[in-house]
Amino acid sequence: MSYLVCVLLFGLMVGSVGVAWNPSPYFAAMGLVMVSGVGCGVLICFGGSFLPLVFFLIYLGGMMVVFAFSAALSAEPYPYGWGNRSVKMYVAAYVLGVGCAWKVLLGKWSGFWGGILDESGELLVLRGDMMGVAAMHDVAGWMLVLGGLGLLLTLFVVLELVRGVSRGGLRTV
Amino acid sequence: MTPIQMTFSTNFLLGLMGLTFHRTHLLSALLRLESMMLSLFLATSLWALQLSTINIATVPMLVLAFSACSASSGLRLLVATARTHGSDHMQNLNLLQC
């Protein structure tokens, strides 16, 4: 099981290097898709059931869809990828840097990792993180209302500022 | 440091470095901000799962909601930039010359 977590963590690192260093935003969005998929797998390996699904749904189904069609606004006829000659050295430098940091800081693994902790000693269908999110509706109810109001406010801010003509943030184009 | 802590810390720092040093497109800056947010979500979710502090599981949900707000505002700015400047190249945003 910890080998699976190691493979997923490796995928997370490759994806994050891909997002951090990519000359074209098309491929950086692909890297973010990979990171969110693999991150969902990592959270599942550590015992979550609801949080990884929320992560997958909101990142891939919500944000990446919007980023993907906004990538049309930053279109280039010949986007640079990792295979370009001028780009390979930078990628090698990033990977080497990450590898050196891992070797130095992770020389001795300290602490217990990879296990799934559980509070109750029984087999339950709903795991702990589902209960935690349920607390958001119960104890942290006002925070939920505040978050919803913030999202509604953001919607109106975005609509108002992209309005154009004479009353928005854009001049007539 | 355990490998999982190293992973999400490196993820955050890589996103931050990409945001600082590679400034060609506005959209890639927004994507690196999203990768930083993603690493924060992973970190707080793993906090809730690993240390059995179940109530902290509300933190990743709320942080995700507010990061969606910031991502939408950034994309709104991207659309505005593309409509006024034609593309989202950061070097075109040079009206303010101090």
Side-chain angles (χ1 to χ4, degrees), chain A residues 84-147:
Chain A
N84 257 347
R85 219 174 309 137
S86 61
V87 160
K88 272 181 194 151
M89 273 186 12
Y90 279 107
V91 173
Y94 261 89
V95 168
L96 209 64
V98 167
C100 287
W102 272 64
K103 195 85 181 81
V104 165
L105 290 170
L106 210 59
K108 210 178 202 349
W109 289 4
S110 60
F112 170 69
W113 77 289
I116 298 174
L117 298 177
D118 210 347
E119 281 184 328
S120 66
E122 324 159 352
L123 285 171
L124 298 171
V125 172
L126 300 176
R127 299 210 58 101
D129 60 342
M130 189 94 139
M131 306 301 178
V133 175
M136 189 171 69
H137 299 274
D138 178 17
V139 179
W142 284 110
M143 198 63 206
L144 187 67
V145 169
L146 205 65

Side-chain angles (χ1 to χ4, degrees), chain A residues 22-79:
Chain A
N22 227 310
S24 168
Y26 295 139
F27 307 123
M30 271 308 299
L32 207 57
V33 165
M34 180 180 171
V35 168
S36 51
V38 169
C40 170
V42 167
L43 287 178
I44 288 172
C45 287
F46 279 94
S49 59
F50 184 68
L51 279 173
L53 288 177
V54 161
F55 186 51
F56 209 58
L57 190 72
I58 304 301
Y59 260 94
L60 287 186
M63 297 215 226
M64 283 302 111
V65 164
V66 179
F67 274 103
F69 66 69
S70 302
L73 291 168
S74 67
E76 283 172 359
Y78 300 105

Side-chain angles (χ1 to χ4, degrees), chain B residues 43-79:
Chain B
T44 45
S45 307
L46 286 165
W47 178 2
L49 291 167
Q50 285 279 75
L51 303 181
S52 277
T53 54
I54 300 298
N55 276 334
I56 300 293
T58 56
V59 169
M61 302 282 293
L62 292 166
V63 153
L64 192 64
F66 294 129
S67 90
C69 291
S70 81
S72 64
S73 305
L75 284 172
R76 181 258 299 167
L77 286 171
L78 178 80
V79 166

Side-chain angles (χ1 to χ4, degrees), chain B:
Chain B
M1 203 191 281
T2 59
I4 182 66
Q5 287 176 0
M6 185 69 194
T7 306
F8 60 69
S9 309
T10 320
N11 204 344
F12 185 84
L13 284 172
L14 277 175
L16 190 60
M17 277 169 58
L19 187 60
T20 315
F21 296 130
H22 299 290
R23 306 181 67 88
T24 42
H25 289 275
L26 188 59
L27 184 62
S28 19
L30 293 174
L31 282 166
R32 282 146 198 162
L33 270 177
E34 282 314 304
S35 88
M36 286 162 70
M37 273 307 312
L38 194 147
S39 73
L40 286 178
F41 185 97
L42 271 178
T44 45
S45 307
L46 286 165
W47 178 2
L49 291 167
Q50 285 279 75
L51 303 181
S52 277
T53 54
I54 300 298
N55 276 334
I56 300 293
T58 56
V59 169
M61 302 282 293
L62 292 166
V63 153
L64 192 64
F66 294 129
S67 90
C69 291
S70 81
S72 64
S73 305
L75 284 172
R76 181 258 299 167
L77 286 171
L78 178 80
V79 166
T81 312
R83 282 181 69 184
T84 54
H85 293 272
S87 71
D88 70 334
H89 286 284
M90 303 275 268
Q91 62 208 20
N92 290 341
L93 307 172
N94 57 1
L95 286 179
L96 187 70
Q97 290 165 2
C98 312

